[in-house]
Amino acid sequence: MDKDLQSIASARRATEKAWEAYNRFLHTDPQQIDDIVQAMARAIEPEAKRLGELAVAETGYGNVADKRVKNLFNALSVADYLRDVTTLGVLWRDDRAKIAALGVPMGVVAALIPVTNPTSTIIYKVLSAVKAGNAIVCAPHPRGLRCGQATIKIMADVAEQMGAPKGLIQCLDQVTLEGTAELMRHRRTSIVMATGGPAMVKAAYSSGKPTLAVGAGNVPCYVHASKTDELDEVAEMIITSKAFDYGTACVSEQAVIADQSIARELRHQLKLRGAYFCTPAEAERLAQVIFTGKQAMNPNHVGQSPQVLADKAGFSIPPRTRCLVSEESEIGWQRPLSAEKLNPVLAFYQAKDSEHGLQLADRIARFEGWGHSAVVHANEPEIVSAFSRIPVGRVLANTPAIMGGMGFSTDLEPSFMLGTGTWSGSITSDNVTALHLINIKRVAYENRPWRDIYEVYGE
């Protein structure tokens, strides 16, 4: 049997099994579900580093230390958030209006897992799906199958020990595009959670099933002149965020825009913290390494260290370089480094003034990043307010993009799936949580005599 047929058969078996488990899981006491979710999270904590090692070894993307942090963020921060969220049963009631809202599960969640975050995304999606009373079947990228299966095994084994039915949490054992497509469109699948490249997201929205999917993130980061005395901290935030896991997070900064009056000092502070500013010739060669053509990142060079990228591009950099920077003045595919780069690579722009800075940020977000996120470093509230006109789902002020966007350094909902709204064809601009994986049923008593309709609308 060829691989496509094996994968299709795997998807069918897993989805039917998940449907049966979901029906056995229905009406489970919410407290027991909470106990299962917290037990799964605790089981991941001591395994976070090992799973990071498996992910890096299998995919070749990112680094173990930051993969570990991503795994722990989901096992700790996401789990802590879910502990205080009500998803099932009575969500709220209004005695005056005689209406109550009840949370009920959706059914079987088909979860597409990206190769850039193959273990942390599974942790987040499994915890969220089960908290909402659902079954879940994960479809990893083929290059992240083994580490994905290892993550699922830890969580599924603990859930079953806590009383969850076998089959509630699964991972496909054979993965191809055809098998993943079958999982998404299967009659037992209730909703698709798609995190991946543009082709996979498009396939998810074409599956005919309700879909939560996210688009690309070309995140602009504007540094306003009011930050003159804090540029050392701003530079550290930018470099740390962009270098995190070698740039594999789509919410990390992609382009820095500095007001003219502080641009020189910001360059200096970035260099002090490990940024290497490429020459124009080096930047051209770097773009050829990262991109294979227009709108196509080279998958073999995603999530690589600055040293690896520089070596492949044929130039030398200092040994402790954390990030590569290209000075840019144009935005568009004629300058590929102005697009999203899933690597520790930044574009750098100089703005004439704050209005020009906002215009540049707006153009960058609209180019390959509509709806995702934008960052502004400013001490003047009116600048942050003006920045909110950029067409993105989240504006992050005075914080690193990755820590702020995923809800660690801000009070956004902790999440590893950041909606990009209708700007980029997504159904939501929220940080997606378990609350997006329930149906809300309203119970409404008569609160006004029904015959009054004839008095209100009569002739």
Side-chain angles (χ1 to χ4, degrees), residues 104-330:
V104 294
M106 287 185 169
V108 176
V109 177
L112 278 57
I113 310 300
V115 66
T116 48
N117 298 298
T119 56
S120 51
T121 306
I122 285 178
I123 298 165
Y124 150 71
K125 290 187 177 180
V126 168
L127 293 178
S128 300
V130 174
K131 170 71 178 187
N134 300 301
I136 183 170
V137 180
C138 293
H141 187 282
R143 281 179 58 173
L145 178 59
R146 292 193 301 277
C147 62
Q149 289 175 323
T151 308
I152 286 290
K153 186 177 190 310
I154 293 169
M155 303 184 82
D157 285 352
V158 169
E160 289 166 24
Q161 292 169 14
M162 295 290 294
K166 190 174 182 62
L168 190 76
I169 303 163
Q170 297 180 69
C171 182
L172 297 186
D173 53 21
Q174 300 280 342
V175 181
T176 67
L177 288 176
E178 288 299 318
T180 300
E182 176 64 21
L183 171 65
M184 290 190 290
R185 61 177 178 248
H186 194 278
R187 67 190 182 108
R188 299 301 193 191
T189 294
S190 305
I191 186 169
V192 176
M193 295 182 80
T195 312
M200 185 56 72
V201 170
K202 183 177 179 181
Y205 277 121
S206 301
S207 67
K209 294 300 175 85
T211 296
L212 291 165
V214 298
N218 197 21
V219 179
C221 172
Y222 172 53
V223 184
H224 183 251
S226 60
K227 281 292 184 179
T228 300
D229 296 331
E230 303 168 62
L231 293 179
D232 53 348
E233 176 67 5
V234 170
E236 183 62 32
M237 286 192 276
I238 292 170
I239 294 294
T240 299
S241 181
K242 185 55 180 170
F244 190 81
D245 202 27
Y246 296 154
T248 51
C250 57
V251 71
S252 64
E253 293 86 345
Q254 299 293 334
V256 176
I257 304 155
D259 276 351
Q260 190 170 19
S261 62
I262 61 168
R264 181 177 179 179
E265 180 61 20
L266 182 58
R267 287 189 192 92
H268 176 64
Q269 293 295 337
L270 289 169
K271 290 176 183 178
L272 288 178
R273 284 154 184 79
Y276 175 82
F277 279 70
C278 301
T279 67
E282 290 169 345
E284 290 285 351
R285 296 201 296 272
L286 181 62
Q288 292 171 11
V289 166
I290 294 175
F291 296 94
T292 59
K294 192 173 182 179
Q295 302 184 48
M297 271 183 278
N298 187 329
N300 295 320
H301 298 157
V302 165
Q304 303 301 303
S305 70
Q307 288 74 22
V308 167
L309 293 173
D311 287 346
K312 291 183 180 298
F315 60 90
S316 299
I317 59 175
R320 294 186 179 180
T321 298
R322 299 165 66 194
C323 184
L324 303 176
V325 184
S326 172
E327 297 255 15
E328 299 287 342
S329 59
E330 298 179 65

Side-chain angles (χ1 to χ4, degrees), residues 25-99:
F25 197 55
L26 270 175
H27 311 303
T28 299
D29 183 77
Q31 183 57 57
Q32 184 181 356
I33 291 176
D34 282 345
D35 292 343
I36 292 170
V37 168
Q38 297 304 318
M40 289 192 293
R42 288 194 300 271
I44 287 293
E45 187 174 355
E47 299 282 4
K49 182 179 180 181
R50 181 178 72 88
L51 293 175
E53 291 170 343
L54 291 175
V56 172
E58 184 175 4
T59 68
Y61 293 170
N63 61 77
V64 173
D66 292 337
K67 295 287 189 198
R68 172 184 170 274
V69 171
K70 287 181 175 180
N71 291 337
L72 287 174
F73 170 77
N74 287 286
L76 299 177
S77 294
V78 170
D80 284 347
Y81 166 79
L82 292 176
R83 183 183 290 112
D84 298 325
V85 171
T86 299
T87 54
L88 302 172
V90 178
L91 304 179
W92 54 264
R93 58 185 293 168
D94 185 332
D95 292 333
R96 184 193 62 78
K98 297 183 179 179
I99 294 178

